[in-house]
Amino acid sequence: GSRPLYLGIDFGTSGARYALIDKQGAIHSEGKRTYPAVGQTTNWASSWREALFQLLGDIPSVHQPSVSSISIDGTSSTTLIIDRNNGELLAGPFLYNESFPDALPMISSIAPANHTVCSGSSTLCKLVSWWNKHCLNGGDDSAILMHQSDWLLWLLHGEYGVCDYNNTLKVGYDPETGSYPSWLMSQPYSHMLPSSVRAPGVPIGPIKEDVRSQYGFSNDCVVCTGTTDSIAAFLAARTTDPGKAVTSLGSTLAIKLVSRVRVEDARFGVYSHRLDDQWLVGGASNSGGVVLRQLFSNDQLVTLSRDIDPSSPSPLDYYPLPKKGERFPVSDPDMEPRLEPRPDSDAEYLHGILESMARIEASGYKLLKELGATPVEEVFTAGGGAQNEKWTAIRERVLGVPVWKAEQTEAAYGAALLALRGATTGS
Ligand code: ADP
């Protein structure tokens, strides 16, 4: 085929997926790979690299010559320290959920109060923790920081220092001014930060010739900046007007709302990503599918849901959590899970849990509004819970706005849209 196609690859928590789309957004091919096991001689980075090249090889050969651009998303704040002299991994990967509270006192002393970097798992904490251990007595100028998607994209284009303004948020970059703040630039490790921070989905450069020829991609195939996995999943829903939102009902319950106003509140873990001229405000509850998974198999969820009447409110008032502690929409590290009383009927139990999660979701949107965000008008749904039509109906009643299943929910599809954008809008 001579028609150009655009490749998006998502590096999520459990595996990597690709989606290959055309200009209209139709999917021509998709696939996934789980990460090869990490063992004594391998690490996460080599496992991701293997998955990346396996996926490139998985693209049907009939489509490979049509691949015109590539973008990749990765888990936010997943961090690698790389030697820019030879591309070797010096430290990490530090995974998205790894916490380095040892760096917090130093960061709190330089960053504004409640800044998103003031969290033990922020990229900046990872960087500072590493710096304190290795470079306090004179650093090595060749060490640089890369996010997961920077590194994977770098394997394809080979240029150092390029990143996007979504991934850099948690290292302290200010997407509003388009620069690192002075409190960060004055630090001795500032030379490690990505030097060229761009919008997601803009061309970085041509794909390396050896990679291009190995997979037979288009002669003018370009590699484009990526984003984080949750932004990519949001982009997949293709809804970018203020007031539109995407709730992700995966392991956790996460909401993302397009807002005219930038909103931040570290107490609740609420922060805004830039989305062109708007802001994407997000918050994530610890409640979510992980609790459902502890109680029911996916088959049971389907069967039990059949017996739920979504138009009648459940009288059961739970706060489903996998373990102690909640952050959004209630900031309470000591909050205990509440999943009792358990009725005899499993369908009634499930109804109560789904309805309670819908109330958490509604409180989430309410909190964002109170913090100054554009009020929610319409919600699209992603994640495993989006399949559940009964839950959708319950949520519509509780939220009081239209709720839909997003047509596309894969982060890989969102990354493919970035690739499309990069190939068709120019730099
Ligand atoms: P992850 O965040 O792990 O990628 P997914 O988006 O794959 O999660 O969603 C998986 C979650 O969706 C599981 O926790 C599961 O309990 C939940 N789930 C799966 N099927 C249903 C269903 N029919 N109704 C509600 N929840 C479901």
Side-chain angles (χ1 to χ4, degrees):
S2 55
R3 187 145 65 130
L5 296 174
Y6 311 96
L7 176 63
I9 310 179
D10 161 56
F11 281 78
T13 52
S14 57
R17 292 168 183 262
Y18 83 84
L20 189 61
I21 66 170
D22 64 22
K23 202 165 189 163
Q24 281 71 42
I27 297 173
H28 288 242
S29 170
E30 25 182 11
K32 67 173 173 184
R33 287 274 183 169
T34 52
Y35 299 131
V38 172
Q40 273 174 338
T41 56
T42 55
N43 56 38
W44 277 115
S46 54
S47 176
W48 297 332
R49 177 172 49 208
E50 205 172 315
L52 169 65
F53 289 108
Q54 281 173 344
L55 286 178
L56 296 184
D58 289 344
I59 296 170
S61 51
V62 58
H63 292 316
Q64 283 176 330
S66 306
V67 175
S68 300
S69 62
I70 304 176
S71 183
I72 296 178
D73 69 83
T75 49
S76 156
S77 82
T78 295
T79 305
L80 304 89
I81 308 291
I82 300 292
D83 184 341
R84 64 176 300 154
N85 288 331
N86 54 18
E88 299 277 314
L89 180 69
L90 293 175
F94 306 116
L95 299 188
Y96 67 104
N97 55 356
E98 280 184 77
S99 189
F100 295 85
D102 55 290
L104 275 175
M106 190 183 259
I107 288 175
S108 305
S109 72
I110 55 169
N114 293 335
H115 195 282
T116 69
V117 297
C118 301
S119 142
S121 60
S122 76
T123 317
L124 190 58
C125 268
K126 287 163 181 150
L127 172 60
V128 169
S129 173
W130 178 82
W131 176 267
N132 285 345
K133 281 176 211 125
H134 298 92
C135 302
L136 264 186
N137 306 316
D140 172 0
D141 281 353
S142 61
I144 55 169
L145 175 145
M146 287 194 190
H147 302 85
Q148 183 184 26
S149 67
D150 306 344
W151 183 74
L152 289 158
L153 288 163
W154 168 79
L155 293 175
L156 302 180
H157 63 68
E159 198 182 313
Y160 287 106
V162 186
C163 193
D164 62 88
Y165 59 55
N166 295 148
N167 267 299
T168 48
L169 194 75
K170 289 186 180 169
V171 81
Y173 184 83
D174 183 352
E176 199 162 352
T177 59
S179 59
Y180 295 104
S182 53
W183 57 261
L184 185 53
M185 285 314 285
S186 58
Q187 299 305 315
Y189 43 80
S190 64
H191 65 277
M192 292 181 66
L193 299 169
S195 52
S196 174
V197 182
R198 310 180 193 176
V202 300
I204 300 168
I207 190 167
K208 285 184 186 170
E209 180 52 28
D210 57 331
V211 182
R212 194 202 65 75
S213 59
Q214 183 181 350
Y215 297 97
F217 293 159
S218 162
N219 280 322
D220 48 14
C221 181
V222 288
V223 183
C224 306
T225 50
T227 185
T228 66
D229 59 344
S230 57
I231 300 276
F234 176 87
L235 294 174
R238 299 190 101 159
T239 135
T240 48
D241 296 332
K244 312 270 172 171
V246 173
T247 297
S248 173
L249 299 172
S251 301
T252 61
L253 188 167
I255 70 178
K256 289 219 174 323
L257 168 69
V258 185
S259 169
R260 291 185 193 88
V261 182
R262 183 183 189 181
V263 170
E264 318 257 317
D265 195 318
R267 283 173 302 166
F268 301 106
V270 168
Y271 56 89
S272 295
H273 273 287
R274 184 167 159 190
L275 199 69
D276 296 324
D277 300 332
Q278 316 284 354
W279 294 96
L280 189 57
V281 189
S285 165
N286 293 333
S287 184
V290 66
V291 181
L292 295 173
R293 184 170 278 161
Q294 283 169 357
L295 295 164
F296 304 111
S297 70
N298 284 357
D299 286 347
Q300 282 177 306
L301 289 172
V302 171
T303 326
L304 293 172
S305 295
R306 287 193 195 121
D307 295 329
I308 293 176
D309 173 8
S311 64
S312 77
S314 165
L316 299 163
D317 182 23
Y318 301 137
Y319 206 105
L321 291 171
K323 56 180 201 266
K324 184 176 96 166
E326 176 64 311
R327 182 131 187 239
F328 173 89
V330 182
S331 181
D332 179 2
D334 298 320
M335 183 189 275
E336 294 287 348
R338 191 168 75 240
L339 279 159
E340 283 172 1
R342 179 169 181 159
D344 294 336
S345 152
D346 278 347
E348 279 176 35
Y349 190 40
L350 179 61
H351 188 173
I353 295 170
L354 297 181
E355 181 125 5
S356 300
M357 288 189 194
R359 280 193 295 269
I360 294 169
E361 183 184 0
S363 309
Y365 285 113
K366 186 160 165 274
L367 175 64
L368 294 188
K369 184 181 162 191
E370 286 164 7
L371 295 175
T374 304
V376 64
E377 284 167 17
E378 190 175 19
V379 175
F380 295 85
T381 317
Q387 312 304 327
N388 193 321
E389 286 166 18
K390 296 291 177 74
W391 198 2
T392 304
I394 292 171
R395 293 167 52 224
E396 196 154 46
R397 169 167 53 74
V398 174
L399 291 169
V401 297
V403 178
W404 314 96
K405 177 181 183 309
E407 201 180 315
Q408 299 293 344
T409 61
E410 292 293 346
Y413 186 84
L417 290 172
L418 290 178
L420 164 62
R421 175 182 185 160
T424 51
T425 57
S427 47

